[in-house]
Amino acid sequence: MLESTVNRMGISNSVFVKCDCGMTEFLATGDHPSNDTTPRTIQGKDLNRRIVYGTFEMGVGKEGVGKEGIAKLCEMLNMPFSISLSTWYEHEEALLKAHEEILEEQLAKNRAEARMQAIQEECITDANDQMIISIPVSFDGSWSKRGYTANHCVGFVISAATGKVLDLEVISKTCSVCSQKKSSLTEDQFEQWCQTHHCEGSYKGSSSSMEMECAKRIWGRSEQGFIRYTWMISDGDSKAYNSIWSIYGACDTCHHYENLQNNDQEYITWKASEDFKKWEEDHVAGTAGCDRVMKLDCIGHVQKRLGKALYEFQKSSVKLSDGKPMHGRNGRLTKAAIEKLKKNYGKAIRDNVKREITTTEERDQAVQTMKTEILAGLFHCLKLPNKERHQFCPPNSWCKYKKGLPCPNKPHHLDKVFEEHLCKIYDRLTDSALLARCLPGYTQNANESINSLVWNKCPKHKWHGRRRVQLAALSAALHFSGGASAKHAIMEKVGLTVSDTAKMEARRRDSERIKQAEKRVQDQHKKYRVARRQAKQHNEDLRIRGEGVTYAAGAFGEIEPCNGPKKRKTTQKTKK
């Protein structure tokens, strides 16, 4: 068996089997027809392209298991490696074009599915292919780097009904092609080259404004698929909603009062007038003739706001009016107490979700019910007299006191001194407008999931160019909508055959993922995860109490004073 080193193409080798009788048979490590007698370029491309695609799907970049990682692997296996950097990038470019074409077809199917489901839910009988249908979507942006100095941002819009990706946008502040050309060309040559170059890294805004720009671009082209993203589920972390609320048009009243500050006297007067009630009734019923985008809040992020407010309050004060410190064990605002309050707050919202609301009376009643149960969760955790402690508990509910059973105060309940302070926090987080946006019970869990898919393929702790980030976003959207087998269409598009083994492995991965997801949503498994997390935190707290403070930023960096006895200063008395 002989190797033809002259015909080596990257990792693909050309091997000839030579018999003593003089017969020579050609072999190759890449895919090739059985009647070939000499190596062909397509055979080398097959194996090398699989290597490039495989390293990308494993989720690491050029400095990881990418080109240099494969070179190290070949070194350990005593295999030659001769894929040049330009060839590697050519394979990536071919994969990127295939992802764009396949994903565009998949997104069109997803939009048609979401549109059809909205037509069926709204019972629209006269719908045609040209009618624009309104649907609820969740939107979130994610950056390529932690902090607010990232060069790339990815934004996804996901249908709240189908859970599939409808559109995405990648925004970049830098262009690697421009940087390379600028260093290799003269100033005049570079200016001439820029006239024909379509730069995809030309965003001039700040990194923190990228999410807002993603929303503007996605909402701006939404009607091309004959749908409108009329309800936007967001986390409230950016001005994304402020930039698109009137993109489909809005009534004059909305345009006028939306630009006023909440503390403006004109706005306050309008909120207390009959005109506001009429405006609100018309918009809830859908008879106002206004096409504005309505904002909905992710109930998971709203729940986190309470936790953040309680932790900030915990750090703000050392001692309360009873003379005791904020921290401590029983009766004080510990981490366990904060997590308990946060859990009660989120559960009260989820237990009172109501989507079929057509009038302001129904909405106000649902909001009041939700607010009452939230306050019941707060007062149930305070050491108060029974009548005061159970004033918000609903009858015939989980409350033992309402059932006629004894329900005494427990040692871990918060002392009465916390009532005044916590009520101020809860007043802000039980605002009627906020709870009304939580009534449908939507979350951004799908967006958080797809964001993790993107950065698994393109880790944040490493630098990546625009092409790599865009390829990761397209691949994540395709995988999110079609599962592990979605990549087979990409392989066929770039000329890679898909064997029965590959199809079987994709089905296995999808089956295991679905089985694990179904297991994790069961109540028993949720209780197990909570109990395990609480037990771990309890054990850690016990260790910290026994050891004391062993680590704090700069706490042990000061110079220790001398151990010797200090001399007392003596003063000489003056004689009279």
Side-chain angles (χ1 to χ4, degrees):
M1 182 177 292
L2 304 174
E3 178 189 358
S4 177
T5 57
V6 178
N7 294 320
R8 183 181 297 155
M9 302 173 187
I11 296 181
S12 178
N13 293 337
S14 300
V15 180
F16 293 87
V17 178
K18 187 174 182 180
C19 183
D20 294 338
C21 65
M23 185 184 69
T24 302
E25 182 70 20
F26 166 69
L27 302 175
T29 54
D31 185 28
H32 68 287
S34 58
N35 58 355
D36 276 359
T37 58
T38 56
R40 297 192 299 175
T41 306
I42 186 63
Q43 296 160 195
K45 283 185 177 180
D46 178 270
L47 181 59
N48 296 332
R49 186 160 291 177
R50 290 179 189 272
I51 288 292
V52 175
Y53 194 19
T55 54
F56 167 73
E57 284 295 324
M58 284 189 286
V60 283
K62 189 176 62 176
E63 279 79 23
V65 183
K67 177 179 178 296
E68 296 302 323
I70 293 298
K72 294 176 183 178
L73 177 62
C74 291
E75 178 186 356
M76 295 296 104
L77 298 177
N78 291 328
M79 290 175 56
F81 180 81
S82 58
I83 301 179
S84 65
L85 189 61
S86 59
T87 302
W88 188 278
Y89 285 155
E90 287 177 2
H91 287 302
E92 282 192 348
E93 189 65 30
L95 290 170
L96 177 60
K97 291 181 179 178
H99 274 84
E100 290 176 342
E101 294 177 9
I102 299 298
L103 182 62
E104 186 59 37
E105 298 175 1
Q106 183 65 49
L107 294 182
K109 295 179 182 178
N110 295 346
R111 288 190 285 264
E113 181 182 353
R115 184 175 181 274
M116 181 57 63
Q117 185 163 340
I119 291 174
Q120 294 174 356
E121 290 178 353
E122 298 293 332
C123 299
I124 303 175
T125 57
D126 58 343
N128 54 56
D129 295 339
Q130 306 296 322
M131 179 181 289
I132 296 178
I133 305 299
S134 298
I135 62 173
V137 297
S138 61
F139 170 79
D140 191 28
S142 185
W143 287 263
S144 61
K145 179 183 176 182
R146 294 176 181 87
Y148 299 100
T149 59
N151 291 326
H152 313 284
C153 178
V154 182
F156 290 96
V157 162
I158 300 178
S159 169
T162 63
K164 294 184 179 180
V165 180
L166 303 181
D167 203 352
L168 70 128
E169 183 67 33
V170 180
I171 291 182
S172 302
K173 295 172 63 177
T174 60
C175 177
S176 57
V177 179
C178 291
S179 301
Q180 294 171 3
K181 290 294 183 180
K182 194 171 185 179
S183 60
S184 60
L185 300 177
T186 63
E187 186 174 351
D188 294 337
Q189 291 175 339
F190 179 73
E191 291 181 359
Q192 185 178 0
W193 174 83
C194 285
Q195 295 177 359
T196 58
H197 171 62
H198 175 64
C199 184
E200 295 180 335
S202 58
Y203 182 67
K204 303 302 181 182
S206 63
S207 297
S208 57
S209 66
M210 284 181 169
E211 182 177 357
M212 179 180 68
E213 183 65 23
C214 285
K216 290 170 66 176
R217 296 185 184 183
I218 292 175
W219 259 261
R221 60 174 178 258
S222 62
E223 292 184 342
Q224 295 176 5
F226 302 104
I227 54 176
R228 283 181 176 177
Y229 308 139
T230 306
W231 294 274
M232 177 185 184
I233 305 163
S234 65
D235 51 18
D237 294 342
S238 69
K239 284 187 174 181
Y241 174 74
N242 295 350
S243 64
I244 57 93
W245 71 270
S246 61
I247 198 164
Y248 301 133
C251 62
D252 295 337
T253 305
C254 290
H255 273 296
H256 177 72
Y257 289 102
E258 190 73 27
N259 296 323
L260 298 179
Q261 298 294 330
N262 293 343
N263 56 358
D264 192 287
Q265 188 59 43
E266 182 183 356
Y267 182 80
I268 296 174
T269 304
W270 176 66
K271 289 271 289 186
S273 65
E274 293 295 329
D275 293 339
F276 173 75
K277 294 181 180 180
K278 180 67 169 57
W279 172 88
E280 199 173 29
E281 290 174 357
D282 293 341
H283 280 73
V284 171
T287 58
C290 181
D291 295 325
R292 66 171 294 164
V293 179
M294 305 301 293
K295 181 181 179 182
L296 300 175
D297 274 316
C298 167
I299 57 179
H301 283 84
V302 172
Q303 182 178 351
K304 289 181 181 179
R305 293 179 198 174
L306 176 67
K308 181 180 179 182
L310 292 176
Y311 280 116
E312 289 179 352
F313 169 64
Q314 185 190 51
K315 297 176 182 178
S316 63
S317 303
V318 179
K319 288 186 178 181
L320 299 176
S321 58
D322 59 354
K324 296 180 181 180
M326 177 79 68
H327 300 275
R329 297 188 180 180
N330 292 331
R332 311 312 289 180
L333 192 62
T334 59
K335 182 177 180 180
I338 292 176
E339 293 300 320
K340 174 88 171 170
L341 291 171
K342 201 168 84 170
K343 177 183 175 182
N344 292 346
Y345 180 80
K347 188 175 185 303
I349 293 177
R350 290 179 174 88
D351 290 346
N352 291 276
V353 167
K354 190 174 182 181
R355 296 182 182 177
E356 301 298 329
I357 293 178
T358 57
T359 63
T360 55
E361 290 78 9
E362 293 179 2
R363 185 203 59 188
D364 294 341
Q365 184 178 358
V367 167
Q368 186 58 41
T369 303
M370 182 182 292
K371 183 175 182 179
T372 302
E373 191 158 339
I374 290 174
L375 294 177
L378 168 63
F379 278 80
H380 229 266
C381 295
L382 295 172
K383 294 178 181 177
L384 298 170
N386 282 334
K387 188 174 181 180
E388 184 178 355
R389 182 183 171 209
H390 302 283
Q391 59 180 316
F392 295 105
C393 296
N396 300 324
S397 66
W398 43 266
C399 180
K400 292 183 178 180
Y401 180 79
K402 294 292 184 178
K403 294 179 180 180
L405 301 175
C407 187
N409 288 320
K410 296 182 180 180
H412 64 269
H413 288 168
L414 297 175
D415 294 335
K416 182 177 174 56
V417 70
F418 287 98
E419 179 183 359
E420 179 183 356
H421 301 283
L422 295 183
C423 282
K424 293 179 181 178
I425 297 175
Y426 271 75
D427 285 343
R428 178 170 61 87
L429 293 174
T430 55
D431 180 70
S432 298
L434 173 63
L435 297 184
R437 297 195 297 268
C438 296
L439 278 177
Y442 291 121
T443 67
Q444 277 189 324
N445 292 346
N447 293 83
E448 301 295 342
S449 178
I450 196 172
N451 288 343
S452 67
L453 273 178
V454 174
W455 307 123
N456 280 340
K457 299 176 183 294
C458 191
K460 288 189 176 186
H461 64 277
K462 293 182 179 180
W463 182 91
H464 299 286
R466 155 88 184 200
R467 178 172 53 193
R468 170 67 68 161
V469 175
Q470 186 175 5
L471 187 57
L474 299 177
S475 177
L478 198 61
H479 182 90
F480 196 81
S481 299
S485 60
K487 67 172 68 67
H488 295 166
I490 302 295
M491 296 173 66
E492 293 175 351
K493 190 73 175 178
V494 295
L496 304 178
T497 57
V498 182
S499 65
D500 293 337
T501 304
K503 296 178 181 178
M504 183 174 62
E505 178 61 21
R507 288 194 297 268
R508 182 194 64 81
R509 292 176 57 195
D510 286 337
S511 176
E512 290 186 356
R513 187 187 72 251
I514 295 172
K515 187 184 299 183
Q516 183 181 12
E518 291 176 347
K519 179 181 177 181
R520 291 178 64 86
V521 298
Q522 295 176 0
D523 292 338
Q524 183 179 359
H525 199 273
K526 290 181 180 179
K527 292 179 181 178
Y528 164 73
R529 295 200 305 268
V530 172
R532 184 180 59 183
R533 184 170 60 250
Q534 290 177 346
K536 182 179 179 181
Q537 184 61 45
H538 177 70
N539 293 334
E540 185 67 14
D541 292 340
L542 291 178
R543 296 189 187 101
I544 293 175
R545 291 174 188 171
E547 297 170 357
V549 180
T550 57
Y551 178 85
F556 305 98
E558 298 181 358
I559 300 176
E560 296 291 338
C562 178
N563 293 329
K566 296 181 180 180
K567 295 183 179 180
R568 297 179 62 184
K569 293 182 180 181
T570 59
T571 55
Q572 296 181 355
K573 296 181 179 180
T574 56
K575 296 182 180 180
K576 294 182 179 180

